[in-house]
Amino acid sequence: MDTSRTGSPAPPARVDLAGLEAAELERLLEPDGVRAFHARQIYRWIHRRGVSDFERMTDLARPLRARLSARFHVSEPVVEGRDRSADGTEKFLLRLGDERRIEAVFIPEADRATLCISTQVGCAMQCAFCLTGRMGLVRNLSPGEIVGQVRVLTAALGLGDERFNIVLMGMGEPLHNYAATMKALRMLADPLGLAISPRRITLSTVGLVSGLERLRDEPLMPNLAVSLHATTEEQRAALVPVGRSHTLTEVVAACRRFPLKRRSRITFEYVLLDGVNDSPEDARRLVRLLAGIKAKVNLIPLNAAPGIPFDRPTDQRVDRFAGILADHHVTVSVRRSRGRDIRAACGQLIVEGLKRSPAQHLAAALEPSDGR
Ligand code: SAH
C-alpha cells in the first residue's frame, strides 16, 4: 500500500500576492487580521524594495511575518540567464513558475535607461518578419509576471532609486492581454511601489482596434507606439495577418481619435524590409496616411535572422526613406540595433526549448523609441 498518501494532508497551497494591487492586498489580508496600514507596508516591501520574503519585512511584527509566510507567498520570475553586450545592453532570460521562459532587456542610455519587458509567452499576431510569432501564443502573462520582470531586473541591475523608462516591446501583444497589462501599469504607477508614471511607459501594439478604443478611456495612459509596417492594405495584410480584420484605414482612424496630451504624439513603428515596403513611393504614401496625426515615425531596419524570409535594406535605402519623411516635415528616427554581439535584435525573442544557453538564443534589444 502506498502510505505516502495516507499521512497528514498536504498544506493548502499558499496564495500568491505578486499580482495584487494595494487595495486588493488590503481586502485579502483583512480577514487575517492584517490592518490596512500593514497591507500597504507589505505592498511597499514587495514592489518598491523588491523583497518577496516576509521574514525580511523587518517592520512587521514577527508573529505576523510567520503567519504571512504560512499562508502566502510572492512569486517571482527567476533569472536563469544573463547576457551583456559590449554596448551595455543586457538581456535576461527569466523562468516563470510553470517553467515557461520569457526575456526582458535592459538598454542603458546616457540620460535614462530603458527596460523592455514582455506581456505574453509567445505571440498570436504572427507578423511575417518576427520570430516570436513562430512560437504562437503559449499563454498570457499575469499582472504579477509583468510587474515581476521590472522588480527582478531592477534588483539584478542594482537600479535602486534610478529612474528608467519601460517599453512593452518584448514578447507578445499587450492589447491582446489587455486587463493584465493595464493592471500591471497601475501597480507600477502606485506611489507605494515604484511610482513609474505612465508617461515613462510606452505600449507598443500591432494596432488592435478594439484595444485602442478601450485604451482611450484609461485613466493611466501610457505613450502609444503603433506598429504599422505598411502603406497599402495588401502589404499590411501580408506582413501583419491581423491586418486582415483590422485594416490600415481603421487603425489610422482609431489613432486619429486617440486623445493626446499636449505635446505628446503617437509613435508609428515601421520595420523596413528590403524591396518590400522601403521604396520612395511607400515613404510618400506613409506621409499621406499620417497627415493630420500628431505622429513621429520610428524606422526599424529589419533585424534579419535565419528563418525570416526578408532582408535588411542598405543604409542608403533607409536614409532615403527617412529623408523623404523629413522633407515632408514628419518627425522620424531610425532605430539602430543594439547588442549585436550577443545576437540581440528586436522582434526576435524566442526562448522555448533554449533552456541552457541564453548566449545563443535570439533576444530583443532596442533603443527607446524616441530618437529625435
Ligand atoms: N506586439 C507589439 C510589441 C512587439 S515587438 C507590436 O507589434 O508592436 C516591438 C517591435 O519590434 C514591433 O514594432 C515589431 O514589429 C518589431 N519587430 C518584430 N520583429 C522584428 C524584426 N525581425 N526586426 C525588426 N523589428 C522587428
Side-chain angles (χ1 to χ4, degrees):
M1 196 176 101
D2 180 1
T3 50
S4 64
R5 292 176 188 280
T6 57
S8 55
R14 293 180 302 161
V15 176
D16 187 7
L17 304 183
L20 299 184
E21 292 178 62
E24 291 176 315
L25 202 54
E26 285 179 26
R27 280 199 298 277
L28 179 82
L29 298 178
E30 199 193 337
D32 281 85
V34 179
R35 297 211 311 264
F37 168 76
H38 287 132
R40 288 197 291 274
Q41 271 178 313
I42 295 167
Y43 190 93
R44 202 179 289 123
W45 274 110
I46 299 173
H47 294 285
R48 185 181 301 168
R49 298 181 170 166
V51 170
S52 53
D53 176 1
F54 299 109
E55 290 306 326
R56 288 179 52 209
M57 302 186 180
T58 45
D59 55 4
L60 302 178
R62 266 176 207 286
L64 174 57
R65 284 187 249 162
R67 260 185 13 242
L68 290 169
S69 305
R71 299 249 294 112
F72 305 102
H73 76 122
V74 182
S75 67
E76 202 155 74
V78 175
V79 178
E80 197 173 66
R82 186 170 169 173
D83 254 343
R84 188 162 201 275
S85 152
D87 67 22
T89 302
E90 274 191 76
K91 60 176 177 164
F92 289 80
L93 175 65
L94 303 174
R95 189 179 70 240
L96 307 172
D98 64 353
E99 303 288 305
R100 299 289 185 195
R101 285 157 178 84
I102 51 169
E103 283 187 323
V105 183
F106 168 69
I107 307 138
E109 283 292 309
D111 47 349
R112 188 169 280 190
T114 298
L115 301 185
C116 171
I117 62 173
S118 296
T119 52
Q120 296 179 315
V121 183
C123 185
M125 299 299 124
Q126 315 283 315
C127 299
F129 44 81
C130 178
L131 281 186
T132 307
R134 303 288 164 85
M135 292 171 64
L137 176 63
V138 179
R139 69 169 174 85
N140 279 330
L141 294 185
S142 65
E145 288 168 336
I146 299 173
V147 174
Q149 295 169 66
V150 178
R151 208 164 63 237
V152 165
L153 262 64
T154 343
L157 292 157
L159 291 182
D161 284 338
E162 230 173 279
R163 301 205 146 204
F164 49 82
N165 296 324
I166 294 178
V167 293
L168 305 180
M169 294 188 188
M171 300 169 102
E173 165 52 45
L175 296 186
H176 192 218
N177 185 14
Y178 191 94
T181 298
M182 290 307 144
K183 187 174 189 188
L185 297 192
R186 288 196 297 275
M187 293 172 67
L188 289 168
D190 193 324
L192 293 171
L194 290 174
I196 301 175
S197 148
R199 279 177 295 129
R200 290 198 273 138
I201 300 182
T202 299
L203 183 153
S204 178
T205 174
V206 77
L208 301 184
V209 174
S210 56
L212 287 172
E213 300 290 343
R214 269 175 91 180
L215 195 60
R216 286 170 55 183
D217 301 322
E218 287 292 335
L220 284 186
M221 179 79 76
N223 299 308
L224 182 62
V226 177
S227 296
L228 216 54
H229 311 322
T231 56
T232 67
E233 298 295 353
E234 297 70 38
Q235 232 180 27
R236 168 92 175 161
L239 297 176
V240 184
V242 78
R244 291 174 205 144
S245 42
H246 297 67
T247 64
L248 259 189
T249 321
E250 285 169 337
V251 172
V252 172
C255 291
R256 257 179 233 289
R257 289 192 295 271
F258 209 76
L260 289 173
K261 298 233 169 56
R262 225 160 45 89
R263 290 174 46 219
S264 69
R265 305 184 209 193
I266 298 178
T267 299
F268 289 91
E269 293 159 285
Y270 193 100
V271 172
L272 288 168
L273 308 169
D274 190 40
V276 175
N277 64 355
D278 65 342
S279 71
E281 294 74 53
D282 286 303
R284 285 190 283 269
R285 272 198 299 267
L286 186 57
V287 170
R288 287 198 294 275
L289 202 57
L290 301 181
I293 302 183
K294 283 166 70 185
K296 52 189 175 189
V297 172
N298 190 211
L299 299 174
I300 317 174
L302 175 75
N303 291 307
I308 297 183
F310 299 102
D311 296 313
R312 181 191 185 94
T314 59
D315 287 352
Q316 286 86 333
R317 284 181 79 93
V318 173
D319 291 345
R320 184 180 59 178
F321 197 97
I324 294 172
L325 297 185
D327 286 347
H328 289 84
H329 312 290
V330 175
T331 307
V332 57
S333 59
V334 178
R335 190 183 294 171
R336 304 283 174 196
S337 291
R338 301 273 304 261
R340 287 202 165 176
D341 52 336
I342 54 168
R343 301 203 64 186
C346 126
Q348 301 194 318
L349 291 156
I350 185 160
V351 295
E352 294 294 288
L354 295 166
K355 296 174 183 165
R356 291 278 163 238
S357 58
Q360 288 168 354
H361 61 248
L362 301 163
L366 42 104
E367 294 179 11
S369 59
D370 189 350
R372 278 161 304 173

